[in-house]
Amino acid sequence: MTADTDGSGDRPRRRDASATREAILNSAIEAFTRLGYDGAGVREVAGGAGVTAMLVNRYFGSKEQLFAEAVDRSFAPRTVVSDDPSELSAETATRLAARTSPDADDLDPFLLMLRSAANPRAAEIIRAGIEKHVGRRLTDTLPGPDAAPRAELLLSLIAGVWLMRKIIATPALAGMDQGALVQQLHDLMQVLVNAPPASSGGDAAPDSTNSR
C-alpha cells in the first residue's frame, strides 16, 4: 500500500497508483453492469479490485462519482452507431443485427444502463453519458434540421431492438433472418436519418374543429 500512500512522488509509485485506480474502475464497471447501481456496493467493487472500501472512496470520493466514471468509460467507445454519414443507416443496421443475435456477447453499456436506470440519480448520470458520447456524435452526424430529436429517436429504436431481441428474446425477432432484419432496420433508420423538409414546421396536424 505504500505506493498509494507515500508522497515521495517517484515514477514507479505513480504507476502503481494509476494501476490501482484502473483496477477499481474496471471492477466498478463489472459490478454495475451485473447488479445495477442499487445492487452494487463499494465493498463489492473494492473486493473485485483487491483493495479496501476506504481506498475506493479515496480515489473516487463516493459511489455516485464512481458510477459516473464507470458510465463515462463504458459509453465512450463506438459500438453500434456508425460515424460515416453516407453509410449511417446501413452500417448501424448491420452492427445492431450482429450485436443482438442470440449467440452474440452481451453489450456491457446497454446492460449497465438497463439495470441502473430505475434509480433516479443513476438515470441522470446515464442521460449525461448518452448526451456526451453517442448522442452528441449522432446529432453531429445527422444532416438537416431537428438533428437532436431525430438522433434520440434513432437511439430509442436501437435500444428497443436490443431489449426485445437480445434481453427478452421475443421469438420473431430472435429468430429473424439476419439479412431480412438488416434490411428492415435500414429502411426504418433511413426515415430518421433523412432530414425532413425544412418547411415542415409543426402545423401539419389536422384541425379537429373542421373534421366534425
Side-chain angles (χ1 to χ4, degrees), residues 32 36-38 62-69 71 112-113 116-129 131:
F32 288 131
Y37 182 81
D38 288 328
S62 66
K63 175 181 171 179
E64 183 177 304
Q65 181 57 35
L66 178 61
F67 182 73
E69 294 205 32
V71 167
L112 188 153
M113 176 179 69
S116 301
N119 180 284
R121 179 58 186 141
E124 291 178 2
I125 294 170
I126 291 167
R127 181 166 62 248
E131 291 173 352

Side-chain angles (χ1 to χ4, degrees), residues 16-139:
D16 288 348
S18 177
T20 299
R21 194 180 195 283
E22 188 71 9
I24 294 171
L25 184 55
N26 287 336
S27 177
I29 292 171
E30 189 277 333
F32 288 131
T33 299
R34 182 165 49 88
L35 300 171
Y37 182 81
D38 288 328
V42 172
R43 289 186 178 180
E44 179 165 5
V45 172
V51 301
T52 65
M54 183 180 297
L55 194 60
V56 173
N57 289 327
R58 177 189 165 191
Y59 276 97
F60 292 92
S62 66
K63 175 181 171 179
E64 183 177 304
Q65 181 57 35
L66 178 61
F67 182 73
E69 294 205 32
V71 167
D72 190 71
R73 172 69 65 84
S74 299
F75 287 13
R78 299 174 185 271
T79 53
V80 173
V81 178
S82 172
D83 59 352
D84 182 351
S86 65
E87 298 293 335
L88 180 58
S89 296
E91 288 189 3
T92 302
T94 299
R95 293 177 186 178
L96 180 59
R99 294 303 298 268
T100 58
S101 64
D103 58 345
D105 293 336
D106 292 332
L107 184 67
D108 289 349
F110 184 82
L111 291 178
L112 188 153
M113 176 179 69
L114 182 66
R115 291 168 179 165
S116 301
N119 180 284
R121 179 58 186 141
E124 291 178 2
I125 294 170
I126 291 167
R127 181 166 62 248
I130 292 172
E131 291 173 352
K132 178 181 178 181
H133 294 294
V134 64
R136 179 179 298 173
R137 292 195 299 260
L138 184 53
T139 299

Side-chain angles (χ1 to χ4, degrees), residues 112-193:
L112 188 153
M113 176 179 69
L114 182 66
R115 291 168 179 165
S116 301
N119 180 284
R121 179 58 186 141
E124 291 178 2
I125 294 170
I126 291 167
R127 181 166 62 248
I130 292 172
E131 291 173 352
K132 178 181 178 181
H133 294 294
V134 64
R136 179 179 298 173
R137 292 195 299 260
L138 184 53
T139 299
D140 291 342
T141 301
L142 289 176
D146 301 324
R150 287 189 290 125
E152 292 189 6
L153 283 168
L154 186 52
L155 292 177
S156 298
L157 171 61
I158 292 170
V161 171
W162 208 294
L163 178 65
M164 295 292 286
R165 188 168 194 239
K166 186 65 176 175
I167 306 301
I168 300 176
T170 55
L173 274 180
M176 192 172 184
D177 174 77
Q178 287 285 103
L181 178 61
V182 168
Q183 184 59 55
Q184 292 202 29
L185 287 173
H186 173 269
D187 293 344
L188 287 169
M189 291 176 181
Q190 274 294 92
V191 175
L192 295 170
V193 170

